[in-house]
Amino acid sequence: MTPPNRLRAEALTLAYDERTIARDLGLEIPDGSFTVVIGPNACGKSTLLRALARMVKPTAGHVYLDGEQIHSLPSKEVARRLGLLPQTATAPDGITVADLVARGRFPHQKLLRQWSAEDERAVDAAMAATQVSELADRTVDELSGGQRQRVWIAMALAQETPILLLDEPTTYLDIAHQIEVLDLCAQLHEEQDRTMVAVLHDLNHATRYATHLVALKAGTVVAQGDPSEVVTAELVEEVFGLPCVVVPDPETGTPLVVPRARRSRLGADAGPAAAHRRA
């Protein structure tokens, strides 16, 4: 029999206070995948990711990590297997890049074993992989948005977890830095065989980088699988309410979502009518 995937959720009900975000939600994260979760605002994407990271406790159902209920595991044990880059990470004032990345080694610290050569190696390797070694002595608050995001990813890498969750890692970044960060994530996935799970807003980024795509709507998984099979004009309109056409990306061949133009949505007579109103 094929062993179950390392990270999965069964029959989850997720809620904040008395507001239910998701009900009876099930999901398996394929081992070794770059899984991307998409969906409209307030559909439960970030809440699901936080539940997978044990930061939100389900009101029903369970998240399983390596076959064990994640809430039954000690916090440090979870942090040695699974890392999370939250959506709004904030660094202490004046902390240097090297010191922030070093905090990723906290799950490996024990009462009688503090900083070691192994910790130093892990931090150096994480900073090299994210190309922030030259920034080691600079303070995080003086960096650009793209540089800061690389540093946060380096901290998560320093944990040396086989699974890494990223909640909207491109938020607040310009287009060049968005691509830079996603290229880095793809490289880490391919070269280090890490299981990556990211929440993204941009559909075309999701289809270009994901090996496994999960479409969420109102706390329910509407579709999942290979992006080339999941992303259709019908699905995009169902999930996002966006009329569109889907064509092959000229660079990658992955699905490219092109929203229909306003005139196309309004009908052929939209142009003359608009011209009449302007007159």
Side-chain angles (χ1 to χ4, degrees), residues 200-231:
L200 294 179
H201 271 298
D202 191 298
L203 275 174
N204 291 326
H205 288 171
T207 57
R208 174 174 282 198
Y209 288 94
T211 64
H212 184 78
L213 197 68
V214 178
L216 209 63
K217 180 183 179 183
T220 300
V221 175
V222 175
Q224 61 179 314
D226 188 288
S228 64
E229 299 174 357
V230 168
V231 179

Side-chain angles (χ1 to χ4, degrees), residues 203 232-237 242-246 257-260 265:
L203 275 174
T232 63
E234 292 75 18
L235 177 109
V236 174
E237 185 155 9
L242 177 68
C244 68
V245 293
V246 177
V257 176
V258 182
R260 288 196 175 276
R265 297 198 309 272

Side-chain angles (χ1 to χ4, degrees), residues 123-252:
V123 168
D124 288 346
M127 291 201 298
T130 53
Q131 299 179 14
V132 298
S133 300
E134 294 181 355
L135 307 175
D137 296 328
R138 293 178 62 182
T139 59
V140 175
D141 49 19
E142 67 179 282
L143 304 179
S144 71
Q147 288 172 325
R148 281 197 300 272
Q149 202 69 327
R150 281 181 169 272
V151 171
W152 283 110
I153 293 173
M155 188 189 77
L157 289 181
Q159 282 182 241
E160 294 193 318
T161 60
I163 304 171
L164 183 57
L165 312 182
L166 306 105
D167 191 1
E168 298 187 27
T170 58
T171 299
Y172 308 126
L173 299 180
D174 61 38
I175 184 63
H177 286 122
Q178 290 177 29
I179 297 300
E180 177 184 287
V181 166
L182 291 171
D183 280 348
L184 170 62
C185 292
Q187 178 183 345
L188 295 171
H189 164 250
E190 292 166 4
E191 295 181 357
Q192 300 184 11
D193 197 32
R194 290 175 186 262
T195 299
M196 311 281 282
V197 186
V199 167
L200 294 179
H201 271 298
D202 191 298
L203 275 174
N204 291 326
H205 288 171
T207 57
R208 174 174 282 198
Y209 288 94
T211 64
H212 184 78
L213 197 68
V214 178
L216 209 63
K217 180 183 179 183
T220 300
V221 175
V222 175
Q224 61 179 314
D226 188 288
S228 64
E229 299 174 357
V230 168
V231 179
T232 63
E234 292 75 18
L235 177 109
V236 174
E237 185 155 9
E238 176 189 354
V239 173
F240 294 92
L242 177 68
C244 68
V245 293
V246 177
V247 297
D249 185 314
E251 284 286 317
T252 62

